[in-house]
Amino acid sequence: PISRTNTTQHGTIITTPNIKRTPQAIVKLATWFQTEVLLEPEHGLYGFEDRVLDDSVREDPRTGIRIVSLYSHKRKPTAADLAGVDILVVDIHNLPVRCYTYITTLTYILEAAQELGISVMILDRPNPYGFWNAAGALLEESQRSFISFAPVPYLYSMTPGEYALWLAVMRLRNLRLSI
């Protein structure tokens, strides 16, 4: 299991439905996790950014924490983005529908973590609309894109933690993962 320690540096990716939509709440969470870098998915850190950003890296003026947009020309965090990070804490609130980009972002984060030897802790929760039966065709490789990336049915009925476990078994066998 992965735990918060005083010597561990974290990278954190969050979506705003999980916390109060205020900069203060995000700063509090980032401080508690001793965050080295915040990774932001589509819609940005505060949930209202709907355009692809030109610049993928900036600094939070309140804390000095680096913020890396994964909804920019950059989709997958690099070694430079994650320099000094020991654990990636993932708090993504997602509906289990393949066309939502959070599953793609989660896949890229898990791939980067395995490549760089960084542990991942996913703060998982039930799907917000309850259990859905998996439905729809599996994704054909020729149709793969940022908005339809995972090789799962259109409705895939997994939480982010369950999806990460599935991916770890299927192809990311060296991923250090805690749910």
Side-chain angles (χ1 to χ4, degrees):
I2 301 168
S3 62
R4 178 181 170 269
T5 69
N6 290 332
T7 59
T8 302
Q9 292 300 308
H10 296 78
T12 306
I13 179 164
I14 59 173
T15 54
T16 53
N18 299 334
I19 59 174
K20 294 178 183 177
R21 292 178 184 236
T22 66
Q24 296 82 8
I26 290 172
V27 167
K28 185 176 181 180
L29 178 70
T31 302
W32 189 86
F33 274 120
Q34 300 167 329
T35 298
E36 188 75 19
V37 61
L38 283 165
L39 304 174
E40 64 180 357
E42 182 180 9
H43 307 302
L45 206 53
Y46 306 115
F48 53 78
E49 186 64 59
D50 287 328
R51 63 184 171 89
V52 175
L53 298 177
D54 296 328
D55 188 13
S56 63
V57 181
R58 63 187 190 285
E59 190 174 286
D60 179 75
R62 291 170 286 288
T63 63
I65 296 172
R66 282 179 298 131
I67 300 172
V68 176
S69 172
L70 299 178
Y71 194 64
S72 63
H73 67 278
K74 181 183 296 189
R75 302 288 195 203
K76 183 176 181 177
T78 65
D81 295 330
L82 300 176
V85 173
D86 302 310
I87 297 173
L88 283 169
V89 178
V90 179
D91 191 10
I92 291 182
H93 202 104
N94 191 37
L95 291 175
V97 180
R98 185 178 61 218
C99 66
Y100 286 12
T101 61
Y102 290 161
I103 190 173
T104 305
T105 299
L106 177 59
T107 303
Y108 285 146
I109 288 168
L110 296 174
E111 288 174 351
Q114 178 178 275
E115 291 164 9
L116 299 170
I118 297 171
S119 298
V120 177
M121 179 188 340
I122 296 184
L123 309 179
D124 209 18
R125 63 187 46 79
N127 292 321
Y129 292 108
F131 181 77
W132 293 348
N133 291 323
L138 291 174
L139 178 67
E140 294 180 31
E141 186 64 30
S142 64
Q143 300 300 311
R144 194 175 199 189
S145 72
F146 186 68
I147 58 168
S148 196
F149 188 82
V152 295
Y154 187 75
L155 299 175
Y156 58 90
S157 74
M158 291 182 272
T159 66
E162 290 167 337
Y163 173 75
L165 286 170
W166 176 79
L167 205 58
V169 168
M170 296 306 290
R171 66 180 187 86
L172 298 177
R173 298 207 166 116
N174 295 318
L175 181 66
R176 295 190 318 239
L177 180 64
S178 178
I179 309 296

